[in-house]
Amino acid sequence: MSLNLEMPSVVKDSLGFVGEFKQFISRGNVIDLAVGVIIGGAFGQITTSLVNDIVMPPVGWLASGHDFASQAFVIQDKTTDKAEVVITYGRFLNTVINFLIISFVIFLMIKVINRLKRKEEAKPVSLTTQEKLLMEIRDLLAKEKAP
């Protein structure tokens, strides 16, 4: 599916650059996207804090009392003419755990949203008088057509 965001040339000419930008930025989907990015950034900070400050200390304690973030494998020590070559697998483990926690939280949120949608769909719908009459007419017409 392709989205054509191109404006007709008549509209472009009459709005000018500033007017065209104002029309673009005032569209609902652009504002929704901006809000989503801001909330996503804040959620990322919360998740990072959850991983670094709450999850990783006990995991590090269980792993012989070391902080994973500082775990690394030195391939080559620093010399006067060469930089140190280090594989920082601890940071990678922190990132993987962070990803798993974010994925799990999103999974739980989707489960809750789907459960709420199912409850909403299961609610009996109260019909108006007009809708009831239309259903009766439909049923009577179906009876007349049946052999």
Side-chain angles (χ1 to χ4, degrees), residues 8-24:
S9 61
V10 175
V11 175
K12 281 184 185 178
D13 295 339
S14 66
L15 289 177
F17 183 77
V18 174
E20 187 179 343
F21 179 74
K22 182 179 175 184
Q23 186 178 21
F24 168 76

Side-chain angles (χ1 to χ4, degrees), residues 74-130:
V74 179
I75 297 175
Q76 175 183 325
D77 289 326
K78 182 179 180 179
T79 61
T80 55
D81 58 337
K82 293 185 181 178
E84 183 179 48
V85 179
V86 179
I87 296 175
T88 55
Y89 66 88
R91 286 191 212 161
F92 176 73
L93 288 175
N94 276 352
T95 304
V96 169
I97 291 171
N98 195 356
F99 169 76
L100 292 173
I101 290 172
I102 290 171
S103 300
F104 184 69
V105 168
I106 291 171
F107 169 74
L108 290 177
M109 288 172 54
I110 290 172
K111 280 187 67 87
V112 168
I113 289 169
N114 286 340
R115 184 175 296 146
L116 291 174
K117 282 184 180 179
R118 281 194 298 268
K119 284 183 181 179
E120 188 175 297
E121 290 171 2
K123 288 182 183 177
V125 179
S126 60
L127 300 175
T128 64
T129 305
Q130 184 179 8

Side-chain angles (χ1 to χ4, degrees), residues 28-44:
N29 54 357
V30 173
I31 294 169
D32 292 343
L33 178 63
V35 169
V37 168
I38 292 168
I39 290 175
F43 184 72

Side-chain angles (χ1 to χ4, degrees), residues 33-70:
L33 178 63
V35 169
V37 168
I38 292 168
I39 290 175
F43 184 72
Q45 290 176 344
I46 290 170
T47 306
T48 301
S49 176
L50 175 68
V51 170
N52 293 338
D53 302 331
I54 295 174
V55 174
M56 291 313 291
V59 171
W61 177 73
L62 291 172
S64 68
H66 296 290
D67 179 23
F68 275 152
S70 64

